[in-house]
Amino acid sequence: MGRHSRRPAGEQAPSYGEQAPSYGEQTPSYGEQTPSYGQSAGIAGGTPYAPGTGRRRRVAPESDAAAPAGVVIPRPRGPEPGYGPRSMAPEPGYGPSPHPAAPEPVTLTPQPDAPAARSPRKSGKARTLTGAAAAAVTTALAVVIAGQVADQHHDGTTPQARGGDDRADGGADAASRSEIRARQDAQPADYATQMAQVFPLDPQLTAAGRFHPVGGDAPAPGHGKVKRYRVDIEEGLPLDGELFAEAVHKTLNDDRSWAHGGRRTFQRVASGDADFVITLASPGTTAKWCAKSGLDTTEDNVSCDSAATERVMINAYRWAQGAQTYGPDKMFAYRQMLINHEVGHRLGHNHEICSRQGALAPVMMQQTKFLTTDGVTCRPNSWPYPA
């Protein structure tokens, strides 16, 4: 209605005090008409106000039946301080009150179908975005993996698990090379390499004194008279008996050895009759067997052909360590000489000396002890018939 509009005739203007609503009657208090979050309308956190009075309304015991379902309002224990019947005390916050009323607690019983309390909006959004991102990443990975599997099946190949070394920078090739090197390292050294190595052995060692054959049967590869022999090794020696047996057979059947020119050939047997037994034994045991034929090997820790027995004794210390006359860089040649020298005795050959300066030493020269006789020095030599 405009400022200068006329009121219809006969209508009286209401007086301010008569029809204007009082503050406490028609203006709802916050606790009465504005429900707090999660509660039913009309129930505030404290005692509700009585409409039109501006006073707190006391709830009678029977009013529990009228309370909303699931809401229990505790009964007051007695009259509220300062609020007797028809008390005209002002509302809290609108005038002094010597005894402000404390809000009464309200117990809320969750309903089975009531929605769970929501977390703050910002945290909920963050979790929602995080969950959506994780789902998107998972989906993308699933699509990529499915595509790879499909491509492999399409190509007729079987899907293979990929390891950390499956890289585009040559990692697979590097891994393959590493595996090859590992297999090579795991394989035993070849014959020549092992024959050139020096092995540790105590020069005073005396082992069990018992022997067992090694190497098994090996046919005679050449022509001529066949010599049958067996290879034994003393129990308890920390040396490779198979290597020793292989060395004996290869050395004796070399054309530079006693099989030269087809005169004879050597057959190794694992058991049965043998013309002689080449025996690898500890220094102490070697001395005992050599003494049976009147030979003393203890002075220089050497080997012997114990002619009174079937055994050609190879001193394990010399087999492992060699001799100063050859040095550690000629271990292969020294071991060949050791076999040829002692078997030469079994075949009837005696010791020889160096006859010419700088010449190859005769294989029957005591090369373990020296290379010089009567002021004439020879060079080390392993063979009866050197090339």
Side-chain angles (χ1 to χ4, degrees), residues 191 194-195 215 229 231 240-254 257 268 278 319 332 335-337 339-340 383:
Y191 170 73
Q194 293 182 77
M195 287 289 286
Y229 74 96
V231 177
D240 187 348
E242 296 295 328
L243 175 65
F244 177 69
E246 183 179 5
V248 170
H249 197 67
K250 286 183 175 180
T251 299
L252 292 180
N253 284 294
D254 192 295
S257 184
R268 187 176 68 212
I278 301 181
W319 177 262
F332 195 161
R335 286 167 176 153
Q336 291 171 325
M337 184 277 298
I339 294 169
N340 281 324
W383 305 103

Side-chain angles (χ1 to χ4, degrees), residues 127-190:
R127 284 194 296 270
T128 301
L129 293 175
T130 303
V137 171
T138 302
T139 302
L141 290 175
V143 171
V144 171
I145 294 172
Q148 292 176 350
V149 173
D151 292 341
Q152 290 175 344
H153 282 296
H154 180 72
D155 294 338
T157 59
T158 302
Q160 300 291 333
R162 296 181 180 270
D165 290 336
D166 190 8
R167 299 185 293 269
D169 58 353
D173 294 338
S176 299
R177 290 192 296 270
S178 299
E179 292 176 0
I180 293 174
R181 287 195 298 269
R183 288 195 296 268
Q184 291 174 345
D185 293 341
Q187 294 176 352
D190 58 18

Side-chain angles (χ1 to χ4, degrees), residues 351-373:
H351 284 148
E352 299 180 18
I353 62 173
C354 179
S355 59
R356 182 168 55 90
Q357 178 69 29
L360 290 175
V363 75
M364 295 310 298
M365 185 178 179
Q366 293 176 291
Q367 295 182 60
T368 296
K369 297 180 178 181
F370 46 77
L371 290 172
T372 302
T373 56

Side-chain angles (χ1 to χ4, degrees), residues 258-283:
W258 301 114
H260 177 72
R263 296 179 181 179
R264 61 182 65 88
T265 185
F266 296 88
Q267 177 187 356
R268 187 176 68 212
V269 296
S271 60
D273 295 336
D275 296 313
F276 56 91
V277 180
I278 301 181
T279 306
L280 183 64
S282 64

Side-chain angles (χ1 to χ4, degrees), residues 56-110:
R56 297 180 182 271
R57 181 175 58 190
R58 298 185 59 193
V59 181
E62 60 272 12
S63 63
D64 289 348
V71 178
V72 178
I73 302 176
R75 298 185 180 92
R77 297 182 180 179
E80 300 179 33
Y83 291 91
R86 303 183 60 82
S87 173
M88 297 301 294
E91 297 178 2
Y94 290 95
S97 175
H99 301 287
E104 295 183 3
V106 177
T107 302
L108 301 179
T109 303

